Amino acid sequence: PPLEERLREILEKEYGISDEGTYQALLKLMKGWLKPSVPGEGISLTKDGSYTLIAKEYGEPYHSLTAGALSECVEKFLKPSGLLERVEGSKIIRVVDVGFGLGYNVVVMLKHLRDVKKDLYIEVLSFEKELPKEVPPPPEEYLPYWKLLWDNLPSFEKDGISFRLLLGDARERVKEIKSFDADAIFHDGFSPYKNPELWTLDFLALLTKLLKRDGVWVSYTSSLAVRKALKLLGFNLQSTYPVGRKMGGTKAGFEIEESLTEVEAQKLKNSPFAVPFRDPTLNREPLHILADYGLRVLYNKS
Ligand code: SAM
């Protein structure tokens, strides 16, 4: 059903709200949030010369077109994660990867960690709802790891790499993992408004149980809703270096220093948008999660 119809249903059924004013205000907010960020579909060239895919159903590319697909993996995930330095004192590194997509984040991480330490054992747990049908290959230097992954999906243990892909909704599959001890979580869903089920307080609470006490969670997003959820879970937050856009991403950890700027910290405290997405049953439809968030934004409720 179209957004208009579905939103009326959600408001009435879930919240007993039928007044036109609330409906119109919420509809306006949600239309803005759901507007596609790029047109088209299929393979697209990015700023650094590497390729990505545009997902039509989300109106978004798998990687930032302006940062460049491969640059995004390096600058927004691998470097901020601190894994390149962590390798020094480690025999094994464990990574949780949310939103496997084209596998670029994993490929980039495998290559660069192995470049630092040839005999490093790497264990990866990836979540992916649905693998894309066409996948552009990455630049040549990454091809061996890219092939290793795609030739052996969904799971393998080979050459000191243990890889497991959990297909399906990550909200369901994450419940199967009892412990993992991740050094880092790479959180790479589509953007929070387009893919809200991956960014709720409730999902993040389960997911971050897989993190070591001194592990870090990293993402490209600086969303206030996401940052607020991470704060509520007890994390300290840092902004990561901006690449291809104005705002940087976010790094969260229990044992890192909090270092948001004064302006960022104030926003997180006072902005009406700084309330977490909620999904207490872990199976709300994305529009419901977004409407629920929108209502709290409109009425300034936590
Ligand atoms: N990290 C990927 C890469 O480097 O190629 C790009 C990930 S793309 C931005 C987001 C991915 O999240 C998509 O592949 C999408 O299918 C996946 N996704 C969206 N919702 C999901 C869900 N509920 N559970 C698991 N994966 C999901």
Side-chain angles (χ1 to χ4, degrees):
L3 171 63
E4 284 79 358
E5 198 179 309
R6 194 59 202 117
L7 182 58
R8 274 199 204 279
E9 277 170 15
I10 291 170
L11 282 181
E12 275 178 24
K13 194 168 139 249
E14 306 290 342
Y15 302 91
I17 295 176
S18 53
D19 89 273
E20 193 59 20
T22 302
Y23 166 75
Q24 289 296 346
L26 192 54
L27 181 63
K28 189 166 169 225
L29 266 184
M30 288 176 63
K31 275 191 170 162
W33 292 338
L34 292 171
K35 221 174 95 196
S37 68
V38 293
E41 61 185 309
I43 295 177
S44 181
L45 180 66
T46 71
K47 177 91 180 292
D48 64 2
S50 61
Y51 290 87
T52 192
L53 269 188
I54 294 178
K56 193 163 190 261
E57 9 11 318
Y58 292 91
E60 263 189 14
Y62 278 66
H63 300 92
S64 158
L65 301 180
T66 49
L70 266 294
S71 309
E72 177 167 57
C73 299
V74 174
E75 302 296 335
K76 297 187 188 174
F77 289 92
L78 182 62
K79 282 191 187 165
S81 75
L83 289 179
L84 290 169
E85 293 78 32
R86 196 178 281 238
V87 164
E88 293 295 323
S90 316
K91 287 202 172 74
I92 170 165
I93 289 283
R94 294 189 187 85
V95 176
V96 171
D97 166 59
V98 180
F100 176 78
L102 316 185
Y104 284 8
N105 260 344
V106 175
V107 165
V108 165
M109 178 272 296
L110 291 174
K111 180 195 171 342
H112 290 287
L113 294 192
R114 275 292 176 78
D115 281 353
V116 177
K117 196 184 244 182
K118 276 205 307 289
D119 60 349
L120 181 72
Y121 192 89
I122 306 175
E123 196 175 341
V124 185
L125 190 62
S126 277
F127 292 94
E128 175 53 54
K129 188 167 163 187
E130 201 185 341
L131 290 172
K133 304 215 165 30
E134 49 175 349
V135 181
E140 198 167 337
E141 53 179 319
Y142 295 103
L143 277 180
Y145 287 105
W146 189 71
K147 274 180 166 309
L148 178 72
L149 276 183
W150 283 92
D151 288 350
N152 292 288
L153 289 179
S155 298
F156 63 89
E157 191 179 351
K158 235 182 192 167
D159 309 333
I161 293 170
S162 152
F163 177 84
R164 230 179 122 191
L165 178 66
L166 297 177
L167 274 171
D169 194 327
R171 295 180 289 180
E172 265 308 305
R173 305 273 350 229
V174 72
K175 295 176 190 161
E176 293 166 30
I177 311 298
K178 295 301 166 226
S179 72
F180 192 72
D181 268 346
D183 295 283
I185 297 178
F186 289 1
H187 203 114
D188 195 16
F190 290 113
S191 66
Y193 291 140
K194 304 280 181 3
N195 195 187
E197 80 270 21
L198 284 187
W199 305 97
T200 65
L201 173 64
D202 313 82
F203 176 63
L204 283 164
L206 274 190
L207 180 76
T208 53
K209 287 211 175 101
L210 305 183
L211 202 55
K212 265 186 186 164
R213 182 74 202 165
D214 70 345
V216 296
W217 177 100
V218 284
S219 185
Y220 66 87
T221 189
S222 57
S223 151
L224 287 174
V226 175
R227 287 189 170 177
K228 184 66 177 201
L230 293 164
K231 286 279 358 147
L232 290 169
L233 293 173
F235 284 103
N236 293 329
L237 303 184
Q238 297 179 354
S239 285
T240 61
Y241 189 72
V243 186
R245 57 186 206 143
K246 223 167 67 216
M247 297 290 287
T250 302
K251 169 170 173 173
F254 296 117
E255 295 189 356
I256 62 173
E257 295 225 346
E258 174 109 356
S259 70
L260 295 180
T261 64
E262 188 56 30
V263 174
E264 288 175 322
Q266 278 306 322
K267 273 199 207 155
L268 201 50
K269 228 172 139 189
N270 301 325
S271 166
F273 295 95
V275 289
F277 292 136
R278 293 305 314 267
D279 183 15
T281 54
L282 286 170
N283 65 2
R284 277 185 173 170
E285 71 170 295
L287 269 189
H288 180 180
I289 297 172
L290 206 57
D292 178 83
Y293 171 72
L295 284 173
R296 282 176 290 125
V297 168
L298 283 174
Y299 297 109
N300 243 310
K301 287 208 197 124
S302 64

